Amino acid sequence: MYQNLRVIVIAPAYNESAKIGLAVSRVPKTIADEVLVIDDGSADNTATTAQAAGAKVISLGYLHGVGYALRTALSYARANKFDVAVIMAGNNKDEPREIPRLLDPIAADEADLVIGSRYLEGGSYGGDMPLYRKLATRLHPRLLSFTCRKELTESTNGFRAIRLSCLDDSRINLNQKWLDTYGLEIYLLYKMIALGYRHREVPCTKIYPPRRVGNTKMKPVVGWWDMLRPVVFLSLGLKS
């Protein structure tokens, strides 16, 4: 319980046995009522490593996509009466000690969706962040700012918190097949801003390990189209 909120921390993971244990163990126990890892068809020991670190694990059996994994986790969170879901990376790129920054605006009833921004004053990104990702993480929020008519510095960062009661709104439809991959978080951000929910950014830290270690599973072309597609489809009225 954090400031009278039941909080679940969600980490989707695919073949992250080398990193998921540390990511889970770093979540402050005084903040999270539960840590949930969605094992998206991993072929390694992601599930057992996460359990050993103290997480509840839901294994999907085979690779569905991060959007599908998040949809599963959010459904679980709502069914189990949590108030707020915090989403963080399963590959240990986020700083769990910064979770209160996400939760405080919601606890103060000032926001419904809070997203961490590495580009706000007080935020940072360390390590070996690929050049294409530096460019994309700058361009994407500018495009979304234009279509949503709200100034954003981050739109693709998965480190965020959401008031789960917002998902009772029938105008927000996460159960769409085209959102199974990287687009679900962008869709949710776009819809909540467009529908008038209170959105806030807070500074956060993002850490990229050396490329030889492996810092992403996203394919630059296909993955970024997945994240651009909700902006295009929703702004043109092609999806709802």
Side-chain angles (χ1 to χ4, degrees):
M1 189 75 70
Y2 182 81
Q3 297 191 37
N4 296 317
L5 297 172
R6 288 195 71 225
V7 176
I8 184 169
V9 175
I10 295 166
Y14 171 64
N15 288 344
E16 296 291 359
S17 61
K19 302 172 184 176
I20 190 63
L22 185 56
V24 169
S25 64
R26 292 172 64 214
V27 175
K29 293 180 174 57
T30 55
I31 294 173
D33 294 279
E34 188 170 299
V35 179
L36 173 64
V37 171
I38 303 294
D39 173 25
D40 191 15
S42 299
D44 62 4
N45 294 323
T46 292
T48 54
T49 302
Q51 286 176 328
K56 175 179 176 61
V57 176
I58 296 176
S59 293
L60 300 180
Y62 62 91
L63 181 63
H64 289 266
V66 65
Y68 186 101
L70 286 173
R71 186 161 63 236
T72 301
L74 292 170
S75 295
Y76 171 91
R78 295 171 71 196
N80 286 276
K81 308 301 182 184
F82 288 95
D83 298 307
V84 179
V86 173
I87 300 170
M88 70 174 195
N91 57 6
N92 204 34
K93 283 184 184 175
D94 295 317
E95 175 49 78
R97 288 177 297 183
E98 295 175 348
I99 289 175
R101 296 184 187 179
L102 300 176
L103 293 175
D104 286 344
I106 296 177
D109 198 26
E110 298 171 352
D112 303 300
L113 176 66
V114 183
I115 295 183
S117 174
R118 74 201 93 182
Y119 298 120
L120 283 179
E121 183 177 355
S124 66
Y125 57 92
D128 196 359
M129 185 177 179
L131 177 59
Y132 80 86
R133 182 157 287 193
K134 290 179 183 178
L135 295 174
T137 55
R138 284 295 200 177
L139 180 60
H140 194 284
R142 289 183 181 179
L143 178 61
L144 194 55
S145 295
F146 176 76
T147 57
C148 287
R149 295 177 174 83
K150 178 175 183 178
E151 189 65 30
L152 307 173
T153 67
E154 277 271 16
S155 53
T156 61
N157 191 356
F159 190 53
R160 56 184 64 192
I162 181 172
R163 190 188 305 273
L164 288 164
S165 60
C166 297
L167 299 181
D168 293 334
D169 190 331
S170 61
R171 297 170 295 177
I172 300 174
N173 181 14
L174 301 183
N175 295 307
Q176 301 183 68
K177 181 67 177 176
W178 67 282
L179 298 175
D180 279 359
T181 51
Y182 293 103
L184 184 138
E185 289 171 296
I186 308 302
Y187 170 91
L188 186 54
L189 171 59
Y190 187 108
K191 291 288 285 190
M192 290 191 70
I193 292 175
L195 293 172
Y197 288 99
R198 298 166 298 173
H199 160 263
R200 177 78 64 85
E201 292 182 344
V202 295
C204 76
T205 305
K206 206 78 173 176
I207 300 296
Y208 286 80
R211 294 185 199 183
R212 59 181 173 77
V213 177
N215 58 28
T216 185
K217 293 182 174 67
M218 183 185 294
K219 298 177 181 179
V221 176
V222 176
W224 279 98
W225 167 239
D226 284 340
M227 302 188 87
L228 182 61
R229 184 166 49 175
V231 182
V232 175
F233 286 1
L234 294 175
S235 64
L236 295 177
L238 301 176
K239 297 284 187 179
S240 62

